[in-house]
Amino acid sequence: MAKAVRFSEFGGPEVLEIQEIPTPAPGPGEVLVEVYAAGISPVETAVRLGDNADRWPVEFPSGQGREFAGVVAQVGPGVTRFRRGAEVMGYVARGAHATHVVVPETQLLPKPISLSWEIAGSLYVAGTTALGAVEGLNLGANDVVVITAAAGGIGCLAAQFARARGAVVIGSTTEERFDFVRQFGVVPVSYGPDLAVRVRAVTRAPVTAFLDFLGGESDEAAALGVPSTRVFTTTDWGAVEDHDAVKLYAGDTIALARVAQLVADRQIRLPIADVFSLSEIADAYRQLDQRDSAGKIVIGMKLVDYKGQKVRPSRLKQQDVTIGVPTRHERVSVEGVLPPVIGDGRARRLRTGSIPQVGAPAAAAPVR
């Protein structure tokens, strides 16, 4: 038997349930993956809430989650690229929040050995969306781009891609995260009304692009004089329909491979904000919905525990009634040493000097 997250009605995190289901079997061209780690994203919150259900249709009971990393448990007829026991990462249309998932062979790639499970399992949505946004805008040294929710997984990746191309990046976040985004070369401004006024206070140059990963900020982009064709959003369908903003989507396996290699080569860093067990899926989304996490939030199916580790299954500092009210945070460094929280159970040993890092300083090689 396998376990999977399901919801049978629209609503908040409370509608999520962990159900036991028969372990799925792969068909022709498919692979059964035992999931070790899976990321979560704001788009999944919007889908579960029933926002724009005509554009994000849901058939109940519905699974949840797109990105994952794990180990091949079984291959279907005709599969040639992967064998049982291979470490992989990839994506599905929906249903990655589970102990096992069936995925087309074409939506998998080998996990780089230097990527932790946490990063590999949470890279697809944020990484390929951020890369597509920056390349779609063709950002360069003459651009000034505003990125909302700049401390989140997609925001901090997009900021790094933009900075690698020479663009100036201004990012909105909570004041408690200013030091965090500065580590990526972002000029921080605070959330809230009149964002355009605060942006104008930190730059006299024209703002040439606007990446709205928070949602609902298209009016601020217009106030900054950004053309609607250069306003990109992940969840704000109203801006797409009413203001001709551009809707962003995650990319394909080729894009994922590019992003994974950049992270493996330490040219791009993906900080992990927190790790939750599958049974804590509702709490994971409650934390995500506060929109002040530093990096990606991950669901781990095979959690391990090391004394003094910095990221561990979380206890929320706030309850639902205080969502949107930021709390004080300790300074988060993207250079800190992070023992893995998700293990593969194959007797790997942590030795002094061999513990993976959240991220190393960006290399001099350009992002391509």
Side-chain angles (χ1 to χ4, degrees), residues 40 43 114 132 148 173 265 271 290:
I40 67 175
V43 172
S114 61
T148 67
T173 185
D265 291 344
Q290 292 171 25

mmCIF file of all heavy atoms in Angstrom, residues 40 43 114 132 148 173 265 271 290:
data_model
loop_
_atom_site.group_PDB
_atom_site.id
_atom_site.type_symbol
_atom_site.label_atom_id
_atom_site.label_comp_id
_atom_site.label_asym_id
_atom_site.label_seq_id
_atom_site.Cartn_x
_atom_site.Cartn_y
_atom_site.Cartn_z
ATOM 1 N N ILE A 40 6.316 22.129 -2.380
ATOM 2 C CA ILE A 40 4.974 22.702 -2.432
ATOM 3 C C ILE A 40 5.080 24.109 -3.010
ATOM 4 O O ILE A 40 6.150 24.729 -2.965
ATOM 5 C CB ILE A 40 4.284 22.725 -1.049
ATOM 6 C CG1 ILE A 40 4.980 23.698 -0.091
ATOM 7 C CG2 ILE A 40 4.256 21.326 -0.457
ATOM 8 C CD1 ILE A 40 4.272 23.850 1.248
ATOM 9 N N VAL A 43 0.821 27.949 -6.269
ATOM 10 C CA VAL A 43 -0.162 27.580 -7.284
ATOM 11 C C VAL A 43 -1.053 26.455 -6.771
ATOM 12 O O VAL A 43 -2.262 26.435 -7.014
ATOM 13 C CB VAL A 43 0.527 27.182 -8.597
ATOM 14 C CG1 VAL A 43 -0.485 26.608 -9.585
ATOM 15 C CG2 VAL A 43 1.219 28.396 -9.224
ATOM 16 N N SER A 114 25.277 15.488 -6.411
ATOM 17 C CA SER A 114 25.580 16.552 -5.455
ATOM 18 C C SER A 114 24.338 17.270 -4.923
ATOM 19 O O SER A 114 24.445 18.086 -4.017
ATOM 20 C CB SER A 114 26.518 17.585 -6.090
ATOM 21 O OG SER A 114 25.912 18.184 -7.225
ATOM 22 N N GLY A 132 12.147 30.405 -17.019
ATOM 23 C CA GLY A 132 11.299 30.809 -18.140
ATOM 24 C C GLY A 132 10.926 32.272 -18.087
ATOM 25 O O GLY A 132 10.849 32.947 -19.128
ATOM 26 N N THR A 148 8.136 40.450 -6.839
ATOM 27 C CA THR A 148 7.406 40.364 -5.579
ATOM 28 C C THR A 148 7.595 38.982 -4.964
ATOM 29 O O THR A 148 7.854 38.007 -5.665
ATOM 30 C CB THR A 148 5.914 40.645 -5.775
ATOM 31 O OG1 THR A 148 5.319 39.599 -6.562
ATOM 32 C CG2 THR A 148 5.691 41.982 -6.481
ATOM 33 N N THR A 173 9.461 41.971 0.043
ATOM 34 C CA THR A 173 9.422 40.914 1.039
ATOM 35 C C THR A 173 9.093 41.549 2.382
ATOM 36 O O THR A 173 8.901 42.763 2.465
ATOM 37 C CB THR A 173 10.775 40.162 1.099
ATOM 38 O OG1 THR A 173 10.658 39.068 2.001
ATOM 39 C CG2 THR A 173 11.900 41.066 1.544
ATOM 40 N N ASP A 265 26.226 22.833 -9.815
ATOM 41 C CA ASP A 265 27.506 23.505 -10.031
ATOM 42 C C ASP A 265 27.705 24.705 -9.112
ATOM 43 O O ASP A 265 28.702 25.419 -9.230
ATOM 44 C CB ASP A 265 27.610 23.977 -11.486
ATOM 45 C CG ASP A 265 27.748 22.825 -12.468
ATOM 46 O OD1 ASP A 265 28.068 21.706 -12.020
ATOM 47 O OD2 ASP A 265 27.516 23.048 -13.669
ATOM 48 N N PRO A 271 17.750 27.876 -1.306
ATOM 49 C CA PRO A 271 17.662 27.644 0.136
ATOM 50 C C PRO A 271 16.414 26.833 0.483
ATOM 51 O O PRO A 271 15.370 26.965 -0.157
ATOM 52 C CB PRO A 271 17.572 29.061 0.728
ATOM 53 C CG PRO A 271 18.026 29.970 -0.367
ATOM 54 C CD PRO A 271 17.642 29.297 -1.644
ATOM 55 N N GLN A 290 1.677 31.970 4.665
ATOM 56 C CA GLN A 290 2.098 33.191 5.334
ATOM 57 C C GLN A 290 2.991 34.042 4.429
ATOM 58 O O GLN A 290 3.177 35.234 4.675
ATOM 59 C CB GLN A 290 2.840 32.843 6.629
ATOM 60 C CG GLN A 290 1.936 32.224 7.685
ATOM 61 C CD GLN A 290 2.711 31.691 8.869
ATOM 62 O OE1 GLN A 290 3.812 32.145 9.146
ATOM 63 N NE2 GLN A 290 2.148 30.731 9.575
#
